[in-house]
Structure formats: structure tokens, C-alpha cells
Amino acid sequence: MTVIVTGGAGFIGSNFIFYMLDKYPDYRIVCLDKLTYAGNLSTLSTVLDRSNFRFEKLDICDREGVYKLFEEESPDIVVNFAAESHVDRSIEDPSVFLNTNIIGTSVLMDACRKYGIIRFHQISTDEVYGDLPIDRPDLFFTEQTPLHTSSPYSASKASADLLVMSYHRTYGLPVTISRCSNNYGPYHFPEKLIPLMIANCLSNKPLPVYGQGLNIRDWLYVEDHCRAVDLIIHKGRVGEVYNVGGHNEMMNIDIVKLICKELNKPESLITFVTDRKGHDMRYAIDPTKIYNELGWRPETSFEQGIKKTINWYLDNRTWWEEIISGDYKNYYDRMYSNR
Ligand code: TDX
């Protein structure tokens, strides 16, 4: 079995590659990644030499390059993790999100049609459903919840989902989609809430909490997400959407306080800054379908997961310190100075 993993040098994609190489030593894993700011080849350094692994620096929008790779590798399964994923960046400049997330997905699916595959799996997000009110803890996103996006990022992901479903209906492409809640864990890019707060704590820098920090996210340890994708690509029903989440809702401010506590840093580092435009209040996934159909359950509690994650950032300082000192520094100054 040959599996193409796009965006495999990014956070969730790289974790998925490690998971697959470990679980299926007889599979061939081909990573296709453009190595944007969020992709880091050093993340894959431990697997680059494996005989059943190939890395190809490629943009999913590059039709010729993608077709050539499909011709060479004849993949059975394609899992599309490649995406621009940071909401704040999409508010600054939507265009690259539309290109990569929508056009890129269509190029990949055209290649799937041309060369034939047994499964195209699209990694989507709970953000396509919009948000839920804070005072209605009884409400959850199901697979039937209408798409109702807030940011250019989520609109681009919802557009891609619609396109994926249209390729299934129109061309009979064997597709599945997963919509997962917020992931956290090793190799999470430090522009996102949890790694940013860990990195800032460790450097005794202010912890910028948007608005009052009352927004709620539903957190899932990245390895649990990888297991869900593995189950869906092997056992999920074609043409179906699966929500993935572990009923672990937390307020941003509580997460930041927890990180301060774990790292023994004063809460006085917390700084409330101007809110994100169009900021979604609450995400909460109803994972009943994947529980019942595929028997998936999250295995890592948030208590264990956050400890593992913090320890990973303590043990892998070079990985994130290099990122923070490079181009990313310009982004950080642009985004947070005068906020
Ligand atoms: O500095 C910050 N301060 C802050 O208060 C940052 C970076 C974030 N926040 C808040 C905004 C959100 O309410 O924390 C929450 C989490 O923010 P992000 O880490 O940017 O994630 P989110 O916007 O929830 O989106 C994430 O989950 C869904 C991923 O980035 C998406 O790619 C995924 O689809």
C-alpha cells in the first residue's frame, strides 16, 4: 500500500507520518510538502533515510509536479493535510488560503481521478461549522450541522469540503472527510495558542490572551487524531464525513493559567490584548458517529496530554527556538506589537 501524505512536514501531518511508519512498516509513505513557514524538514529528520519513505518538496497547486509524483508512485491512498491553517494570518491576507486550501485540493483530486486511487481523505476542521454560544453547553456540532464559517480560513476549508463532496457525487471519487477539534502535541507550530504560551512562558515574555480569554475550544491530543484518520481511511464509509473530538472543552484563559502553573511561572505574565476579528466563541464536537461506526475513542486525557506536550517543548528547545528566531519573528512583531 502506498500512501501520499500532503503537508507531512507540518504539525498534524508529521505526527501522522510517524504514526503510519510505526504501525504499518510494510506501507510506503510519500510525503509531499511545500515547506512553507509552517513546514519544517528537520521535523522529519529521523525518518528521511527510511527505505519505505520518500520526501518530495512540492506545492499541491503545482499540477504538473503533482501528476508526475502520482505517475511515479501510483498511490493507493491520499491524505490531504496540506493547508494554510492559522486564522490570524487569514484575516491579514486571505488569498494564499484560497489558493492552497481550495485550488490545491482540487489539483490533488484531479490527480486522483486521472491516476486512480482507492481513497482520497480530506483533513478538515470543526471551524467549518462556525461557532456555538457559550451559554448553551447542550449544543454540539454534528455532521449535519450546516456549514457557517467566520474567517477566510474556515471559509476556505468549507469550500474545499464542498468541492470534495462534489468530486464524489460527480465523478464517483472515493472520498472521506474528517472534521476534528483543536489538536495539540509535539511539533505544533508556535503561532498557535498552546505552543505560543509555552514558548513565551519559557522566555518570561507576556502571554497575549485575546479579549477576555473566555472563548472555548475542544482539545484533542494529536496522536488520537492520527488514530482516527487511520480508522477512517481503512474502515470509514466512502462519501461520509466524520467528526473527531474528545469532549474536552476548555476556556483559553484556563489553559494559559494551567501552562503557567505547570511551568511554575506567575500569572502576572498574562496580558489581555485586542480580540481577534470575528472571533468564534465556542467549538464543541459531537463524535457519536465515529464512536459508534468505527469504535474510536480518545486515549490521552488533557491532563496527560498537556504534560507530555510541555515536556516535549522542554526537551526540544532547538526545534522551536530556531523557528522563533527566524522569519516568524517578523510575523510575531507584526501581530502582537501595538495590539
Ligand atoms: O496569541 C493567542 N492568543 C489567544 O488568546 C493565540 C494565537 C490564540 N488565542 C486564542 C484564539 C482562540 O480562541 O486561543 C484560541 C486558539 O487559537 P488558535 O491556536 O489560533 O486556534 P483556533 O483559532 O481555535 O484554530 C485551530 O483549530 C482549528 C487551528 O489553528 C485551526 O487550523 C483548526 O482548523
Side-chain angles (χ1 to χ4, degrees):
M1 194 77 96
T2 296
V3 184
I4 287 190
V5 179
T6 71
F11 165 45
I12 311 178
S14 61
N15 276 281
F16 184 70
I17 285 176
F18 300 142
Y19 173 94
M20 292 296 280
L21 284 170
D22 195 41
K23 179 154 181 202
Y24 302 103
D26 53 334
Y27 277 24
R28 178 167 173 75
I29 307 291
V30 178
C31 170
L32 180 173
D33 198 294
K34 187 184 175 185
L35 295 181
T36 64
Y37 79 93
N40 198 335
L41 199 52
S42 76
T43 300
L44 297 171
S45 59
T46 53
V47 299
L48 281 176
D49 287 341
R50 295 228 191 152
S51 57
N52 61 337
F53 178 74
R54 170 176 174 187
F55 175 81
E56 192 64 32
K57 183 177 182 309
L58 194 61
D59 181 349
I60 55 169
C61 296
D62 174 355
R63 189 173 291 273
E64 215 176 292
V66 167
Y67 283 11
K68 186 165 169 279
L69 189 69
F70 272 64
E71 205 163 305
E72 287 168 10
E73 294 289 349
S74 308
D76 302 287
I77 298 175
V78 177
V79 186
N80 183 25
F81 289 92
E84 290 291 335
S85 70
H86 194 39
V87 174
D88 295 322
R89 287 184 191 258
S90 83
I91 294 167
E92 252 198 332
D93 180 9
S95 61
V96 64
F97 285 74
L98 309 187
N99 251 329
T100 300
N101 299 358
I102 308 174
I103 305 297
T105 301
S106 78
V107 169
L108 283 173
M109 289 193 296
D110 285 341
C112 289
R113 285 176 56 214
K114 185 168 158 77
Y115 295 98
I117 39 98
I118 56 175
R119 181 67 63 86
F120 175 83
H121 182 72
Q122 175 73 355
I123 302 294
S124 185
T125 167
D126 56 2
E127 293 200 22
V128 299
Y129 299 121
D131 66 351
L132 296 164
I134 294 268
D135 58 355
R136 288 294 306 273
D138 55 314
L139 296 179
F140 296 92
F141 298 135
T142 73
E143 290 81 0
Q144 275 73 47
T145 302
L147 304 185
H148 186 78
T149 57
S150 313
S151 69
Y153 159 69
S154 53
S156 71
K157 291 298 285 181
S159 306
D161 283 10
L162 293 174
L163 208 55
V164 170
M165 283 314 189
S166 79
Y167 272 59
H168 173 59
R169 168 97 186 230
T170 306
Y171 307 115
L173 196 70
V175 305
T176 38
I177 296 178
S178 54
R179 296 183 180 142
C180 192
S181 58
N182 283 55
N183 280 214
Y184 69 103
Y187 300 107
H188 202 179
F189 195 84
E191 67 187 345
K192 305 286 169 75
L193 179 75
I194 289 182
L196 184 143
M197 297 301 168
I198 296 174
N200 282 18
C201 261
L202 290 173
S203 321
N204 297 307
K205 279 172 64 176
L207 308 175
V209 171
Y210 298 167
Q212 295 177 285
L214 303 180
N215 307 64
I216 291 174
R217 297 292 182 266
D218 183 0
W219 295 93
L220 185 73
Y221 193 62
V222 63
E223 209 174 282
D224 282 324
H225 185 191
C226 294
R227 262 190 315 108
V229 175
D230 173 20
L231 275 170
I232 296 169
I233 59 178
H234 289 103
K235 297 190 179 139
R237 284 183 296 135
V238 161
E240 293 289 321
V241 174
Y242 292 89
N243 279 356
V244 184
H247 283 303
N248 182 56
E249 291 179 51
M250 293 193 60
M251 254 180 208
N252 294 342
I253 188 69
D254 292 335
I255 295 210
V256 178
K257 285 183 178 167
L258 183 68
I259 292 172
C260 289
K261 189 161 162 251
E262 289 290 331
L263 288 170
N264 218 359
K265 297 288 177 179
E267 286 183 10
S268 56
L269 285 175
I270 296 174
T271 317
F272 293 96
V273 300
T274 312
D275 210 354
R276 174 184 278 171
K277 289 191 179 84
H279 199 173
D280 282 336
M281 276 317 294
R282 169 177 169 249
Y283 302 145
I285 280 282
D286 176 352
T288 308
K289 181 172 173 181
I290 192 166
Y291 276 32
N292 290 346
E293 273 191 29
L294 303 178
W296 176 87
R297 294 283 186 287
E299 286 176 3
T300 308
S301 68
F302 189 74
E303 214 186 4
Q304 296 168 309
I306 196 74
K307 283 199 167 82
K308 272 165 94 167
T309 305
I310 290 176
N311 285 334
W312 187 88
Y313 281 85
L314 285 168
D315 294 343
N316 293 274
R317 282 188 92 117
T318 3
W319 183 85
W320 58 267
E321 278 177 350
E322 268 172 19
I323 291 169
I324 288 182
S325 60
D327 265 0
Y328 172 70
K329 195 175 174 310
N330 298 332
Y331 163 82
Y332 194 90
D333 292 344
R334 224 171 49 239
M335 192 58 73
Y336 292 97
S337 60
N338 305 320
R339 182 159 189 157

